[in-house]
Amino acid sequence: MARLEAVQGDITTQAVDAIVNAANTTLLGGGGVDGAIHRGAGPELLEECRTIGGCPTGEARITQGYRLAAKHVIHTVGPVWSGGQRGEAALLRRCYVNSLQLAAERGLRSIAFPSISTGAYGYPIARAAEIAIATVRDGLGKPTSVELVRFVCFSAADLTVYRRLLDG
Ligand code: APR
C-alpha cells in the first residue's frame, strides 16, 4: 500500500514525479497554485499548455515540469463551490481520480496535491479534504505505480484538517 502524507508547504518546491496544479479550464495560468506553478516552471510551461487547448472541469492533463523540482505537472480543474447541490463533490472526486490515473499511466511513483478548489473556488476545506483523502485511498487500493501521495497544505489550519482525517 502506498504512503499517504500531509505536510505544510509550497507545492512548487516538492521534489516528486508530479505536482498537481489547481488550474482553470483555459490552462493559461491564473493566481494561487496556478500562478505559483507557472512562475516556478517558467514560460515553457505556458507554451506547452497552449498546445493542449484547455481542460474541462474534473479532468486532468499532464505536462513537463520544466524549471520545477517536479518532473511533471498534472493540471486538473476543480469545481467552483456553489452550495454543494450542483454536483461539486463528484467533480472534485474526478479531479483526484483522473490525476492519479494519469500518474499511473506514466508509471510515476510520487505525486503531490494541493487542496484543489479550496481557494478561489471556495470549496469548504473539510469537505474537500474528506473527498481528497477518500478518493486517493480508494485509488491506491487498485494496481498503480504510485507509492507516495503527499497533500501539501499552504496553511497550518488546512494541515490540521488533513492530519485529523488521515489519522482518523
Ligand atoms: N502551494 C500549496 N498550496 C497553495 C499554494 C502553494 N504555492 N498557493 C495557494 N495554495 C492553496 C490555497 O491556500 C488553497 O488552499 O491551494 C488551495 C487552492 O487554492 P487556489 O490556488 O485558489 O485554487 P482553486 O481554489 O482550485 O481555484 C482555482 O484559481 O488560480 C486560479 O487559475 C486558477 O482559476 C483557477 C482558480
Side-chain angles (χ1 to χ4, degrees), residues 55-61 75-78 91 94-95 98-99:
C55 179
T57 300
E59 295 193 21
R61 301 289 186 269
H75 307 259
T76 193
V77 181
L91 282 167
R94 287 188 61 210
C95 288
N98 288 322
S99 297

Side-chain angles (χ1 to χ4, degrees), residues 92-136:
L92 185 60
R93 202 170 295 123
R94 287 188 61 210
C95 288
Y96 289 94
V97 169
N98 288 322
S99 297
L100 283 175
Q101 187 176 319
L102 270 181
E105 283 169 5
R106 301 290 181 103
L108 306 187
R109 291 168 48 187
S110 55
I111 182 170
F113 285 98
S115 302
I116 306 288
S117 283
T118 63
Y121 282 1
Y123 212 114
I125 182 70
R127 292 167 179 244
E130 206 170 324
I131 289 170
I133 291 169
T135 308
V136 167

